[in-house]
Amino acid sequence: MNKFTTNQDNRISPQKQFISNAQKGIINWKYWLISILSVFLIWQGIGIIPSLLTCLLINNYEITGFNCNTDNFIIAGPSYIPNFILAFVPFVLALITLYVVVTRLHQKPFISIITGRQQFDFRRLFFAMSIVAIFSVISLLIQLSGSQSEDSTMTFNSPGFEFFIIVILALMLVPIQAGMEEIFFRGYILQAFSLIAKSKYFLIISTSSLFAILHIANPEPWEYGIVAYLSSVLILAIFMSLITVLDGGLELAIGFHIMNNLWAFLIVNLEKSVVPTPALFIADIPEFNLFTLILPSLIQFLIFGSIFAWKYKWFRKNN
């Protein structure tokens, strides 16, 4: 069978098929455990070696203009490009590892951990991207039209040559990064946990909690407030897990994640971001406010969820 197609029973809905895909191939728990640990090792261990070596090179040989923070391996200097590329190396290696363990160790089609449909639905992905882009533009325009508060200011950066290089790199690398995280957490691990318990609430909360916990390693929670930051990441993860379970695939979640990250890297980035970029606007926020951060997110996700539910008829009786 082709690794990019699946022998889905057309009588089974994508929602049920996506979860039942966990039963495909070799499902011995030893393989699940080995695979999860392997991906984590490559992603969080071996994947950062290029950044580590570059940091050592910069700090020991005093490369003109560049410096590296050995706590988080963020490279600063006259160009954003070296740090931007190195930041995505772990995700590329992790995605390759995930593909190998799924297709070789589990001996199952890679598409089976991505969607309950026979093929990946790119129309769903682009629809999610367009919805996020539209709402992000509206939100930015509202923010720019109002007076900026003392707790948050945005600085406009005139786009230069390096910005357009970052745009090209982002269009190539962000889909890999966002896709890898979605496929690993809300695809592979979610299906693995479905072998423990069938409860959708358990699957959504457990995978979302793991996703949020992993983000503790980012500089943002320590710079802007760990409770508010992790709460926002957890709510985001729950939303993406929910639309994955309701839609029977990762297409919407991947599209949402891609556009969300492209917007952050290219349009409005934080001053102290895990991946600094010459975005058009840099937001200077002393600290995240739990209430003002969470409430708008909940409203926004409710609107997104309603649009997706209406578009794809999630709650029809025959669905």
Side-chain angles (χ1 to χ4, degrees):
M1 184 197 312
N2 191 305
K3 295 184 177 79
F4 298 97
T5 60
T6 179
N7 57 346
Q8 177 187 349
D9 186 341
N10 291 328
R11 295 171 298 178
I12 302 176
S13 69
Q15 292 83 354
K16 292 182 179 179
Q17 184 69 51
F18 180 68
I19 301 299
S20 67
N21 280 346
Q23 303 290 339
K24 292 181 180 290
I26 301 174
I27 61 173
N28 189 304
W29 255 103
K30 290 186 296 184
Y31 293 138
W32 291 98
L33 185 59
I34 291 171
S35 299
I36 291 173
L37 292 177
S38 297
V39 173
F40 265 112
L41 175 63
I42 297 297
W43 180 15
Q44 300 295 322
I46 295 175
I48 66 172
I49 290 178
S51 294
L52 173 61
L53 294 177
T54 305
C55 275
L56 293 175
L57 183 66
I58 289 173
N59 291 340
N60 290 339
Y61 293 94
E62 299 181 354
I63 297 178
T64 305
F66 285 96
N67 63 81
C68 181
N69 186 335
T70 54
D71 292 331
N72 51 31
F73 306 120
I74 293 179
I75 300 168
S79 175
Y80 290 94
I81 294 175
N83 182 77
F84 191 83
I85 294 175
L86 288 170
F88 288 93
V89 170
F91 297 96
V92 175
L93 297 179
L95 186 59
I96 294 173
T97 304
L98 183 58
Y99 178 82
V100 171
V101 298
V102 169
T103 59
R104 301 303 180 187
L105 198 59
H106 288 285
Q107 297 181 21
K108 61 195 295 182
F110 194 62
I111 191 70
S112 68
I113 66 169
I114 299 177
T115 184
R117 284 166 275 274
Q118 291 184 331
Q119 295 180 339
F120 188 86
D121 190 344
F122 283 96
R123 290 176 299 179
R124 275 174 155 82
L125 179 139
F126 291 125
F127 180 74
M129 290 180 66
S130 64
I131 292 298
V132 174
I134 290 171
F135 274 81
S136 297
V137 169
I138 294 173
S139 176
L140 177 62
L141 292 176
I142 292 174
Q143 191 171 358
L144 292 176
S145 63
S147 58
Q148 300 190 50
S149 66
E150 296 180 357
D151 296 330
S152 175
T153 58
M154 286 203 303
T155 304
F156 175 72
N157 289 326
S158 179
F161 177 75
E162 181 155 311
F163 171 78
F164 295 103
I165 298 298
I166 294 292
V167 169
I168 296 172
L169 291 172
L171 292 175
M172 293 188 297
L173 296 173
V174 169
I176 295 175
Q177 173 259 322
M180 179 267 152
E181 290 190 340
E182 293 304 314
I183 296 170
F184 185 53
F185 285 100
R186 278 166 276 279
Y188 186 74
I189 292 182
L190 186 145
Q191 288 186 6
F193 284 1
S194 73
L195 300 175
I196 301 174
K198 295 296 183 182
S199 169
K200 293 180 180 179
Y201 300 107
F202 167 76
L203 298 178
I204 291 171
I205 296 300
S206 60
T207 54
S208 299
S209 298
L210 286 175
F211 182 82
I213 290 171
L214 192 67
H215 282 72
I216 292 178
N218 289 357
E220 288 94 337
W222 311 106
E223 296 288 348
Y224 300 108
I226 187 169
V227 174
Y229 177 80
L230 291 184
S231 297
S232 67
V233 173
L234 178 62
I235 291 173
L236 171 65
I238 289 174
F239 170 73
M240 291 194 292
S241 296
L242 181 62
I243 64 175
T244 296
V245 170
L246 289 174
D247 197 51
L250 290 167
E251 293 94 338
L252 293 177
I254 293 176
F256 186 100
H257 201 152
I258 289 173
M259 183 52 66
N260 182 74
N261 286 11
L262 284 175
W263 184 268
F265 293 143
L266 302 178
I267 309 301
V268 182
N269 203 353
L270 294 172
E271 185 178 27
K272 298 173 182 177
S273 169
V274 64
V275 184
T277 61
L280 294 181
F281 295 91
I282 301 297
D284 182 9
I285 304 173
E287 186 178 35
F288 285 145
N289 182 290
L290 184 62
F291 178 76
T292 57
L293 186 66
I294 300 303
L295 185 58
S297 296
L298 290 174
I299 296 173
Q300 187 180 57
F301 294 150
L302 180 61
I303 295 173
F304 288 154
S306 300
I307 292 174
F308 294 150
W310 168 79
K311 171 72 173 176
Y312 299 110
K313 302 177 175 61
W314 286 343
F315 302 113
R316 285 195 313 182
K317 289 184 178 180
N318 62 345
N319 245 15

